[in-house]
Amino acid sequence: MTDHGTGCSSGCGDGPRGLAGDGIGRRTFLAQGAMLAALGALAACGAAGDSTAPSLSGTTSIKLADYPALATVGGIAVLTINSSPYAVARTGASTFVTVSRRCTHEGTTVNVNGSGFLCPNHLARFAVDGTWQGGQHTSSLQTYPTSYDATSGTVTIG
């Protein structure tokens, strides 16, 4: 083979063993391209984080009497605050947790499923406290400060 000014006399710059003029071989190009595609897919699956979760401004109080599911430990009530989906779960006699029902993967509203939550789009599963448990890998659901006033029978979120 001839050297066409590339410094290579074995056809390095074109043909089946290389890409013309760029100095990297086809295998290297394909391997690096596949690696970049995989990194992009991983970033899309797990990097959304809390960007899909709504932010609460101020506080919201709910009366337990309005949410019968919260009468017993393990109960989960779904509610909407400022047009955003949330869930409040009773985790103890006087403890509650509030989570955003927006999946951190792509913002889909997750549904109550048994004692936790399930994303209907990608089947990510979350514990009642929002912790990711399996399925499509993503981060945990956003949680919000929650307090209970037994005297008034109210739960305050935020």
Side-chain angles (χ1 to χ4, degrees):
M1 302 218 135
T2 18
D3 179 357
H4 297 286
T6 62
C8 182
S9 60
S10 61
C12 302
D14 53 61
R17 297 199 302 169
L19 297 174
D22 69 0
I24 66 169
R26 184 181 348 190
R27 284 186 184 156
T28 302
F29 174 78
L30 292 174
Q32 289 177 351
M35 190 178 335
L36 286 173
L39 288 173
L42 285 174
C45 288
D50 298 336
S51 65
T52 59
S55 61
L56 283 173
S57 57
T59 61
T60 298
S61 292
I62 62 168
K63 293 183 179 194
L64 289 185
D66 294 339
Y67 297 91
L70 297 177
T72 58
V73 173
I76 301 172
V78 297
L79 58 143
T80 301
I81 303 171
N82 298 329
S83 302
S84 296
Y86 294 88
V88 176
R90 189 167 198 156
T91 56
S94 61
T95 57
F96 295 80
V97 64
T98 302
V99 299
S100 166
R101 290 181 49 228
R102 285 193 185 154
C103 181
T104 54
H105 180 227
E106 289 185 349
T108 302
T109 299
V110 299
N111 299 313
V112 175
N113 185 285
S115 61
F117 305 95
L118 178 69
C119 176
N121 282 357
H122 302 96
L123 303 180
R125 294 183 315 278
F126 304 92
V128 72
D129 67 355
T131 305
W132 176 80
Q133 291 186 313
Q136 172 73 43
H137 191 270
T138 187
S139 55
S140 297
L141 299 175
Q142 175 70 41
T143 60
Y144 301 88
T146 305
S147 60
Y148 174 56
D149 182 344
T151 305
S152 64
T154 60
V155 173
T156 301
I157 304 160

